[in-house]
Every structure is written in structure tokens, then in C-alpha cells.
Amino acid sequence: MTGKPESAAPAGAAPDSGQGTAPAPAVAGRVQQSAAALIILAVACWVAIVSFDVEDPQPYLFPQLLSGFMVALSLMALQRALRGKNRTGAGIGGGQFLNIAAGLAVMLVYVFALADWLGFYSAAFIAMLTLYSLYDPQPHGSVRTWAVRLAVTVGFVAVIYAVFALGLKVQTPEGILF
Amino acid sequence: MEFLDHFGAVFTWSSMLILCAGTIGGLLLGATPGLSPTMAVALLIPFTFHMDPAQGLMLLGAAYTSTVAGGAVSAILLNIPGAPANIATALDGNIMARKGAGARALQICFISSAIGGVLGILVLIFLTPVLASWALKFGPSHLFWVAILGVTIIGTLDSKSVVKGLLAGCIGLWIAMIGSDSIQGVERFIFTEELEGGVHIIAALIGLFAIPQVIEMLEGGRKDPRRTVFEVRRANIWRSALETVSKVRALVIGGVVGTVIGLIPGAGGQIAGLVAYDQSRRFSRNSAKYGTGESEGVVAAESANNAMVGPSLVPLLTLSVPGSPTAAVLLGGLLIHGIFPGPDLFQKHAAVAFSFINSMLIGQILMLIFGLAIAGLAAKVIEVKPPILASAILVLAVFGSYSVQNSMADVAIMLVLGIGMYFLARYGFSPAPLVLGIILGPIAEHNYVQGRIIGEAQDGIAPYFLTGWLNILLIALVVLSLVYSIVSEIRVKRQERAAAAEAAS
Amino acid sequence: MKKIAIAAAALAVALPAGHAAAADYPTKPVSLTIAYSPGGATDFQARIVTMVAANKGLLGQPIVILNRPGAGGKVGWNHFASKASTDGYQMAAYNVPHFIAQSIKFKTKYNIDNLEPIANWGADPAVLVVNKNSKFNSVKDLAAWAKDNPGKVTVSGAGLFVGHHIAYLQIEKALGVKLRYVPHKGGAPALKSVLGGQVMAGVNNLSDSYRSRSSLKILGIADLQRDKQFLPDVPTFKEQGYDVDDSSVNFRGIMVRKGTPQAVIDKLAAIMPKMFANARVAKQMRNGGSPIRIMDRAAVQKMWKERQKFLTGLLKDL
């Protein structure tokens, strides 16, 4: 559950670990690692092309230098990945991707469509309730489940409103609702 | 010892009330993603319009000290640093929290913050006249080398693979170049309108740390058999205090690094925590444990962050030169009350100046008291069920990144960077070196450009950057840092090979 | 602009008609967009000059400050000129010559033709400063040394195409010498470079230089008259025989988008100068070392046009 899976499960799990022994970190395979390195190489090449294809090179001195480093480093990463020497990062499994896909969709719709159009607070309410309900293990059929979900969402959005609108006087986009 | 005479003004009922309110408010604001100390102080200045100057400044002083510490709370509990200064705190602090030691991590964090903070303010009180002129000596060439020194720690920071660490740093340096540049008057890499203003460091910070966190909580799907709720073990304050004080080396490194970096105008206290963390790891006997929930890392990072606060005000109070963005905002707060900082500040407005400094000293103590009081309670945050926590963090991230500049573009940038970081993290990249790149990129580039112009006007660019004792000292440090990285990399490789050979036999 | 259309529809239901709206304007708080960060000089002054807006006889409603910083002001002004409402409830602060120079030099969504000035509250002239220990004691000293050492005098200032840069260009031209401009990220770091001796001279704000006057020598003011309140002893460039006028003076004031009803503009233009002249405002501004210069709408319109013409010529060959 950390931003860096490999470091959360160190070789000799620390003695005060409350979760028992962590499983050995899975490492993504050669194909996935190589694909990742290729994508970064592509970005690096794009940065290089943009940086060198300019009329006035002076402001682009740093980008040019940097893109050189980026291309070299991503080539190194690619070479290591191809030889199967890249041993950090668990990669992404198909099932795992399906699990997060719904969440990603909620995030993107929330930020790129709802927030500005509906208004910041109503969009926050909808996004939070949707994301929470989608991943809540409680049964969807029960009234109690929905009561809890609604109460938690309304409560949190109210706290956010109190902090940002009343306390900090932040003016958020109003949209068509609120 | 003149400052002792002015403690009377601090110990009145109304002043203490203001200090307590400022401290509690500061802790809460600091813990909110998106509200950096700079923002918090800026937001509070209008409240001081109607106060008398001394009390208005007490509020600002207390808020400044406590927001810096408050940023550590979300860093430790949620792995979301409240401000760039708290990135290093998250590296070990969050792992401690995951292992059930969240309360202990918070206690250690507040205690080391207070130690560092008091040290920094004492430097401000006693050494200001000596250090003020020294701080001014830092010109573009020196700041350039300071930034390069920061770049040398990118590769080893929080990454198992040096190549990937460096690559993450490069991505960060590139992100920092996006936008229009007021120094060179160019617009670079603006491929959509949202990027016109560049990538704001706070929006990037929220995206890079908070969003991967949210997505990972969703990885298991709706019915995740592996899902465990983190436990929060109670922690004894005295034992935490003893543990903190026993980390003498980390405290000394944190205090010294924080003080020195705080003094350098323009270096940005943002990197004090990271540099102290890195140095402390290099000189530590159990350096291998860093990144696995080692409390020493929290001690080094937090003592440095707070040690930086006092010295960062040295150039402001004596020369009216704000050395950091927060100091610039504080300057506004001073001016609005008709107080012009300068060499005669301590003669002309002694009462106000000293009650400001004293309030920060008392603020450190109050921060410690309130911080310890909430540590146990705050740590319960991670007991919240993952679906609730994930959706709440998402909403908080959106509001936090919006409120930085009232900009929807920042929210979009935050989310895109965050989703990108999630995928990068799956392949062994870490957000810390990336953020460090975003911070250091502009410092290195702006100072190089300024140094080039000044160098051309003088004896040439190379002599400007390479001569003078301060340049040579900094270059030596850069070389040392590089050599150290290479040596330790070779040592790790050798150990790995030995271990592999052993396993094979 | 769906949002505005819907909001307008909602307003139309709530209020009788657009014309009547102007008569009892404003009925709710008015926002003021600042294109710079909180705590900066523009933000700081805007907060002072608007603090009495809710008083009787003035606006009767508070003015809420909305910071939208980025790209030297371009982000905030672009957003304002393209997205702000034209009902008078969204205003912005302008900085001349910055926004005019940017509209000439870059592809921006704003220019003096799609914005309507309301009134001006402050003017911060640029001054030429050197370190206390500098060998230069007057503009003449500096000009003489620069004549013998072309391109050797480094001059710091806050960024490109801002007041400091404009003043630098004028000074260089008037002195007839070759200098070297070192852009910084804001006025405070630029002044720091002068104090620390990293550059030989600097162009900076009068107010900031005044505060650091004990470690500086202030050689000249780029304005038409001396500053009687803060620096009565510092001569203007004109007095010293150099042709530098007030084109680089940093004017700050309030504007709205073009398309705002004339009745609302007139009402604001009548109220704002009174608000700026309020005694409490004047006292706080003086405390902060910020020079006040109140100008009405007609005067600002004239000033904008003059700057537009002057800057187009000056920046043409840059």
C-alpha cells in the first residue's frame, strides 16, 4: 500500500512489524519492465527533439543537456530491463488493472468534467460517494450500508466546506449546482 | 540577553491566547495538503490588520513555526507531505505508521521539531549580526553549486536502483522547465493551455504523493482478501523523548544542515529536510535501515525543517531581504504595521522585534505540547477503512491543489502527475527524487543564467563559477558527494554478488 | 461559457432586468483578481486599499481578493480577460507597464482594448541603486565608468518586460552607454544582489529601496518629480540631465472586462477614488511604505494609451 512497494517489504522485515512477515516483493517481468523503459525513452526523445528544434538555442541549453541525460539513462534502464536485470517494481497485473480502472475513471470524470461544470462541492459529493460505494465491501442491497455511505460522505464534504469556504475563504468554481 | 527582558509581553493572557490559537490553527493548516507555511502565513495576515503590531506578529510567528511541524502529520500518517519540507519525513515516518508505530513517529517528530526549532531561533537571537553579511555573500554561482549538490543526492534518495532514481530526478527537472520563464523570457514545453503557468510545486507534491496512495488502496478491488486495517499502538511519550534525544548524531546533523540551508537566501528551506536525511543516512551506522521505518530518519528530517525557520529570518530582519517565500510574506506582515526591518530594527522597534522572536520560541514549546496531545488521536486516521480514506484523500487533494492558486489547471496537473506517478511507482520509481528535481531545476537554471550574464561582464563565465573559496568549497562537497555515492554503490553490488554466490553454493 | 449563460439565466429570474441591476449594484461581495501571489507588493496593497469597501457611502459590499498567480501575471490576466463575468462582480488589479508590455511581447488574451480601467491607487517609481560601498556616487559616475568599460556594469532588476526592465532600457539609452541587465525572479532577490555585491547596480522599486536605504545609495528616480514623502533628497534623472520619463513607473489600479454595463463602470469609477482616499487606507499605505497615487478613470485611460504607444516603440527591436 505504499508509493514504493519494494521498500515497504524490506529483506529482513523489521522486528516491530505489526503485520507479520511481509511476502517477498513480486518483481515485474522482463517484457513489462522493457515496455516501461521504452515509454520513458520515447518521452526523453520527444523532449530532446523539442529542445533541439528551436530558433534561439540559448534558453534551451538546460533542456538540451537534460534531454541528453534522460535519453542515456533510459537507454541504460532499457538495456538492464532487456537483460532481465531490472529487479525493482512489481509491475501491473491484468486483474489489478481491472480493479483500479473504475477508480481511475471516477477520478478523471470528477476532475475533468464534474468539478467545473457542476460546482466544486456537489462534484466532490458525487465523486466521493461513487468511489466509496464502488470499493466498499459492505452489501449494496442493504439500507444500512447506504445510510452509512451517505452519512460519511455528507459529513466529510461538510468538513471540507467548513475548512475551505468558511475558514480559508477559498472561492471555488460554482458551476450549475454548487 | 536583551530578548529576556521582552518575555513579559508574551506572557499576558491575550498574547498566550493568540499564541495558542496560532499554534493549533497552524498545526491543522500545516496538516492539510496544499497549505504550505507560506500560504498559511499569507492567509493569516489580514487577521493581523486589527491587532496591535506585537500581537499580530506573534500570531504570524506561532503559525509559521507550527505549520512547518504540522506538515509532518499528513506526511507520516498518509504519506502526503504537507509541504516540500516534509518529504524526507514521509520516507521513514510513513513506514513507521504502517507498522503500527504512527503515534510514536508523531511524538518523535514533534520532539525533534521542537529541538531543531529552538536551536534555530537561538541562532537567530545570538548570531544574527554575524551571519547576516555572510548570508548575503551567496551569489548566483554559489547557489548554482548548492543546487548541483542537491542533484547529487537524487540518485540515492529513496530508490533501490540508481538508474531509476536518476531518471526520476531527470523527469522532475524537466517538469520544472515547463511554463513561461520570467528570467529568460521564454515559454517552453507549453503544449496545452493549462501548463502556461508551469507546474506549481505544491500541486505536483499533492499529485505525486497523494494520488498513487489513493489508487493503491483500490488495487485489491471491492472484496480484497489481503486488505488489513493498520493498527495504532499506544506509545509512551517519555520513551519517545528518550529515543529522540539518544539520536544525537541525527539531531546534530539536522540542526546544522537546517541552520546553514535556512541562512542561504534563495536556496529554499524546502530541501533542508532532504539534505539532512541524506547526510544522516550516510553517517549512520544503521544506514541500511533507512527507508524501512527508521526513526533516526524522522529525527534528522524534522529537526532540520524546524531549525531552518529561525535562520531563514536573519536576512529579513537585519537587511529587509526575504530569504525564502515565507519570509517574503512575513515582510508584508511587518510592513503593514509600519515596521521596516533593517539594521536598526532591534533599536527602533525592540519590543515588537523581540516579542516576535520570543513568540516563535514559545511557539515551539506550545507546538510540542499540542502536537504530543494530538499525536495519539491523529494516528487513528489510518484506522479508517481504505475505501473511505481513498475517497476522502481524493477530495482533499482536489481542494488542496485548487486553493494554492485558485486554479483548475493546477487540479488537472495534480491528477495527471499523480496517475503517471502511480504507474511509474509500479516500475520501481519513487516520487521523492522526482520532487527534488522539480525543486532544484529552477534554482540551478536561474542561477546559471544570471551567473553567465554576470560572468560575461566580468572575467568570463568559467572563472566566475570556478574561483573563490566559497565556490571551491561547494565544488569539493559536490565531488565528495559523488565519490561517496559511487563507493557505496560498488559496496552494495559486491555484497549482492557475495550473497548470490552464497545462495548458489 | 455555458456556466455564465446558466448563471445569467438564474439571475434574470431573480432580478427584474439588467438595467435595474446596475442601479442597486452591488448586491453581493465583489471579487478582485490579483495576478500575483499572496504577500507580494500588489496583493499587499490591494488588501489595504479594499479594506473599507463595505463602508456606507462606498461600495457597501466587501471586496474579496482572489489570487491567481503565475508566469509573471500572465496566467491571472489571461484568465480574467477570457473567463471573468462582465456584470461588475469580478474585477482585477492591473500593473502598468507589465500587462501592456506582455500584451505587446507575447500572445496574450488581454490588451488595453478588451479591458476597462476603473481607477488607479498607487504608483511605485523605479530607482537606480548601488551598494553603499560602491565607487559610484551619482548617475554621472556610473555613466563615465560605463563609457570606458562598455557592457561591464551589471544591473539587476525583477524579470523581463516589467517596470524595472523598461526603466533599465530607458536609462541605458539616455546615458548612451552599454550596460548589462541581469533579470531576477522578483524585486526582492534583485535588491539582494545589489546588497550582496553580486551586481554593480540595480533598478528597483522606490518603496523597497527606501527600506534598505541604510545599505544603499539611491542615485536617481525614474519619474517626473521627486518623491516628497519618502525620498525628498533623491533627484530625478531629468534633473541630472538624462532623458528618462515616468514610463517605467509601476502603476497599480482596478479594472473590469470590456462589456461591463456603462452604468456599473461609472458607478465604480465614482466610488473607487473615494475609497482609495479614505483616511485609514492612507495611514496603512504610509505605514507600509507604499506610495499612493490616485487617478480617475479618464486619467488612467489616457495613461494606458500613452504607455501602449511608448512600449510598442521601445520593445519593437528587442
Side-chain angles (χ1 to χ4, degrees):
Chain A
M1 300 260 298
T2 152
K4 37 209 173 330
E6 74 283 3
S7 58
D16 61 341
S17 167
Q19 304 161 7
T21 14
V27 175
R30 200 180 291 194
V31 180
Q32 271 206 28
Q33 291 279 9
S34 309
L38 262 179
I39 291 173
I40 294 174
L41 180 63
V43 173
C45 289
W46 178 77
V47 173
I49 291 166
V50 174
S51 311
F52 282 93
D53 180 30
V54 285
E55 287 168 25
D56 177 13
Q58 198 154 50
Y60 280 86
L61 175 70
F62 267 64
Q64 288 173 357
L65 266 173
L66 178 76
S67 62
F69 276 114
M70 268 175 92
V71 171
L73 283 166
S74 37
L75 280 173
M76 273 165 79
L78 181 64
Q79 180 244 1
R80 287 171 63 90
L82 287 173
R83 285 168 51 203
K85 282 199 138 189
N86 227 334
R87 283 190 292 266
T88 52
I92 296 193
Q96 191 184 18
F97 187 76
L98 285 180
N99 278 338
I100 62 168
L104 286 180
V106 172
M107 288 178 200
L108 290 169
V109 171
Y110 170 31
V111 166
F112 286 97
L114 295 184
D116 218 8
W117 176 57
L118 280 182
F120 244 51
Y121 291 96
S122 41
F125 171 78
I126 293 171
M128 186 169 172
L129 188 63
T130 318
L131 193 64
Y132 175 17
S133 306
L134 277 172
Y135 289 89
D136 186 8
Q138 303 301 320
H140 285 317
S142 125
V143 177
R144 210 190 105 80
T145 307
W146 284 99
V148 171
R149 289 174 186 171
L150 267 176
V152 167
T153 310
V154 168
F156 188 74
V157 174
V159 169
I160 289 278
Y161 180 79
V163 171
F164 285 92
L166 304 180
L168 301 173
K169 308 254 186 292
V170 176
Q171 289 197 329
T172 46
E174 280 176 10
I176 55 170
L177 288 174
F178 173 55
Chain B
M1 292 291 146
E2 200 192 344
F3 76 103
L4 292 175
D5 305 337
H6 295 279
F7 264 112
V10 184
F11 289 118
T12 63
W13 280 110
S14 58
S15 301
M16 285 309 279
L17 198 70
I18 287 173
L19 280 175
C20 290
T23 307
I24 296 173
L27 281 171
L28 295 174
L29 288 176
T32 312
L35 288 172
S36 58
T38 315
M39 278 272 288
V41 175
L43 285 166
L44 283 175
I45 283 183
F47 288 99
T48 69
F49 280 8
H50 308 289
M51 298 180 183
D52 81 65
Q55 295 194 329
L57 287 169
M58 281 180 200
L59 178 68
L60 298 181
Y64 184 16
T65 46
S66 55
T67 38
V68 173
V73 177
S74 50
I76 289 176
L77 296 178
L78 302 171
N79 199 22
I80 304 170
N86 304 110
I87 299 165
T89 316
L91 296 180
D92 274 296
N94 182 247
I95 294 169
M96 285 179 75
R98 282 159 195 279
K99 289 179 176 173
R104 188 164 60 99
L106 284 176
Q107 288 170 352
I108 289 175
C109 147
F110 284 120
I111 296 167
S112 40
S113 291
I115 295 175
V118 169
L119 187 83
I121 305 219
L122 292 178
V123 168
L124 172 67
I125 292 174
F126 292 110
L127 298 177
T128 291
V130 191
L131 294 174
S133 54
W134 184 81
L136 272 187
K137 285 212 175 73
F138 276 80
S141 64
H142 312 117
L143 284 172
F144 173 78
W145 289 116
V146 168
I148 297 297
L149 188 60
V151 170
T152 61
I153 71 172
I154 281 182
T156 49
L157 188 73
D158 193 35
S159 297
K160 285 277 177 310
S161 153
V162 175
V163 172
K164 286 183 178 175
L166 288 173
L167 207 43
C170 283
I171 296 173
L173 288 166
W174 171 62
I175 288 174
M177 287 173 185
I178 298 172
S180 49
D181 180 285
S182 56
I183 294 216
Q184 305 188 77
V186 286
E187 300 182 333
R188 294 184 304 203
F189 303 111
I190 303 180
F191 41 90
T192 89
E193 197 185 331
E194 277 77 18
L195 291 170
E196 181 192 26
V199 175
H200 193 281
I201 177 70
I202 302 288
L205 193 65
I206 297 174
L208 293 172
F209 282 89
I211 296 300
Q213 197 76 6
V214 171
I215 303 175
E216 272 164 36
M217 287 187 214
L218 311 177
E219 271 172 0
R222 185 160 166 246
K223 298 237 155 96
D224 182 5
R226 296 171 302 164
R227 182 176 290 157
T228 47
V229 172
F230 295 115
E231 62 160 343
V232 180
R233 280 200 304 277
R234 296 172 66 87
N236 182 300
I237 292 181
W238 300 114
R239 204 172 296 158
S240 300
L242 212 64
E243 184 178 350
T244 312
V245 178
S246 69
K247 313 273 186 206
V248 178
R249 192 189 293 113
L251 280 173
V252 169
I253 291 175
V256 171
V257 168
T259 306
V260 172
I261 292 189
L263 273 173
I264 304 174
Q270 301 175 327
I271 58 169
L274 281 169
V275 174
Y277 177 88
D278 189 69
Q279 292 306 319
S280 172
R281 180 181 55 186
R282 289 178 181 196
F283 289 107
S284 172
R285 251 179 262 117
N286 41 5
S287 54
K289 280 200 187 157
Y290 275 66
T292 67
E294 172 58 53
S295 59
E296 210 172 283
V298 176
V299 172
E302 276 306 303
S303 56
N305 274 345
N306 290 269
M308 171 219 95
V309 169
S312 75
L313 299 177
V314 166
L316 172 71
L317 293 181
T318 50
L319 302 157
S320 195
V321 173
S324 68
T326 320
V329 174
L330 275 173
L331 175 63
L334 287 162
L335 295 180
I336 210 140
H337 291 293
I339 295 161
F340 292 2
D344 52 354
L345 175 71
F346 289 90
Q347 282 100 53
K348 260 165 80 187
H349 299 285
V352 176
F354 279 113
S355 39
F356 175 52
I357 293 177
N358 287 343
S359 74
M360 291 205 293
L361 208 52
I362 306 292
Q364 296 286 355
I365 315 283
L366 290 174
M367 179 267 291
L368 179 64
I369 295 171
F370 291 121
L372 289 177
I374 61 161
L377 197 68
K380 299 244 182 272
V381 167
I382 59 172
E383 284 183 339
V384 175
K385 291 196 181 71
I388 303 181
L389 199 54
S391 46
I393 293 177
L394 173 67
V395 169
L396 202 54
V398 168
F399 276 84
S401 52
Y402 180 83
S403 62
V404 177
Q405 311 190 85
N406 292 302
S407 157
M408 210 47 219
D410 283 349
V411 181
I413 291 170
M414 181 277 296
L415 187 70
V416 171
L417 283 180
I419 294 178
M421 189 65 236
Y422 169 76
F423 287 105
L424 282 174
R426 299 304 302 172
Y427 294 96
F429 293 89
S430 154
L434 211 150
V435 173
L436 195 56
I438 299 182
I439 295 171
L440 294 174
I443 301 181
E445 185 171 13
H446 290 164
N447 286 293
Y448 172 75
V449 171
Q450 286 171 355
R452 191 192 67 216
I453 299 174
I454 297 173
E456 277 169 358
Q458 296 173 358
D459 316 323
I461 302 170
Y464 182 75
F465 278 97
L466 301 175
T467 59
W469 67 270
L470 200 48
N471 278 331
I472 291 170
L473 175 75
L474 287 165
I475 294 169
L477 286 174
V478 168
V479 173
L480 247 149
S481 177
L482 281 176
V483 168
Y484 173 86
S485 301
I486 294 165
V487 168
S488 65
E489 178 74 6
I490 292 172
R491 200 184 300 150
V492 169
K493 280 271 147 64
R494 200 174 293 156
Q495 276 168 1
E496 267 178 17
R497 217 170 296 146
E502 211 167 281
S505 62
Chain C
M1 286 294 83
K2 212 180 296 167
K3 207 185 352 174
I4 288 171
I6 294 166
L11 262 179
V13 177
L15 299 163
H19 289 290
D24 45 60
Y25 166 89
T27 55
K28 56 175 186 177
V30 179
S31 76
L32 180 69
T33 298
I34 306 289
Y36 296 97
S37 321
T42 305
D43 172 78
F44 166 72
Q45 294 184 9
R47 283 177 200 272
I48 296 176
V49 298
T50 58
M51 67 185 183
V52 293
N55 283 12
K56 249 208 178 90
L58 297 175
L59 215 49
Q61 288 284 349
I63 294 180
V64 187
I65 304 288
L66 191 63
N67 299 90
R68 232 184 254 285
K74 276 186 271 176
V75 171
W77 287 320
N78 267 339
H79 189 275
F80 183 76
S82 58
K83 302 246 170 75
S85 68
T86 53
D87 55 6
Y89 287 99
Q90 295 190 359
M91 312 189 292
Y94 63 74
N95 289 61
V96 171
H98 310 41
F99 92 91
I100 299 180
Q102 288 167 0
S103 73
I104 295 168
K105 206 62 204 169
F106 300 99
K107 263 185 249 137
T108 59
K109 290 180 188 158
Y110 51 88
N111 52 58
I112 65 163
D113 297 322
N114 63 16
L115 296 164
E116 292 279 359
I118 299 293
N120 191 82
W121 80 66
D124 208 348
V127 292
L128 183 67
V129 294
V130 294
N131 193 297
K132 189 112 220 160
N133 308 320
S134 166
K135 53 182 170 259
F136 307 132
N137 288 309
S138 65
V139 179
K140 191 170 274 151
D141 291 351
L142 190 146
W145 197 84
K147 193 145 266 161
D148 300 333
N149 303 280
K152 295 262 179 206
V153 179
T154 44
V155 184
S156 70
L160 294 168
F161 313 115
V162 296
H164 298 171
H165 189 206
I166 311 287
Y168 164 84
L169 293 170
Q170 283 190 295
I171 292 169
E172 192 179 40
K173 208 163 160 190
L175 265 56
V177 291
K178 181 101 188 58
L179 308 172
R180 203 178 285 259
Y181 187 67
V182 187
H184 283 62
K185 213 171 169 57
L191 195 60
K192 192 236 124 214
S193 286
V194 179
L195 294 170
Q198 280 92 30
V199 292
M200 296 178 75
V203 177
N204 219 292
N205 301 332
L206 185 144
S207 51
D208 292 319
S209 311
Y210 167 71
R211 281 195 291 274
S212 300
R213 63 195 179 284
S214 56
S215 2
L216 289 172
K217 283 188 266 192
I218 305 177
L219 303 183
I221 300 183
D223 199 350
L224 297 178
Q225 66 272 324
R226 291 188 181 200
D227 185 273
K228 290 190 192 71
Q229 194 181 5
F230 295 110
L231 295 171
D233 301 330
V234 178
T236 63
F237 280 90
K238 281 248 159 86
E239 285 177 56
Q240 304 180 60
Y242 300 104
D243 185 28
V244 177
D245 63 4
D246 61 344
S247 295
S248 63
V249 174
N250 186 350
F251 285 96
R252 296 187 175 99
I254 291 178
M255 61 186 178
V256 293
R257 262 183 93 181
K258 196 174 200 99
T260 304
Q262 193 59 43
V264 170
I265 293 182
D266 292 342
K267 187 159 185 180
L268 282 171
I271 294 171
M272 289 299 149
K274 264 194 281 174
M275 185 176 86
F276 300 154
N278 179 288
R280 262 184 69 206
V281 169
K283 180 166 166 270
Q284 288 276 35
M285 286 287 277
R286 196 166 345 105
N287 279 347
S290 314
I292 294 190
R293 197 178 300 177
I294 301 169
M295 289 160 67
D296 64 10
R297 177 167 148 82
V300 183
Q301 277 175 319
K302 186 165 156 276
M303 183 260 289
W304 278 18
K305 287 216 181 76
E306 285 168 10
R307 293 296 176 276
Q308 173 78 23
K309 196 164 151 241
F310 170 80
L311 291 170
T312 312
L314 184 76
L315 301 175
K316 198 168 52 204
D317 23 86
L318 265 186

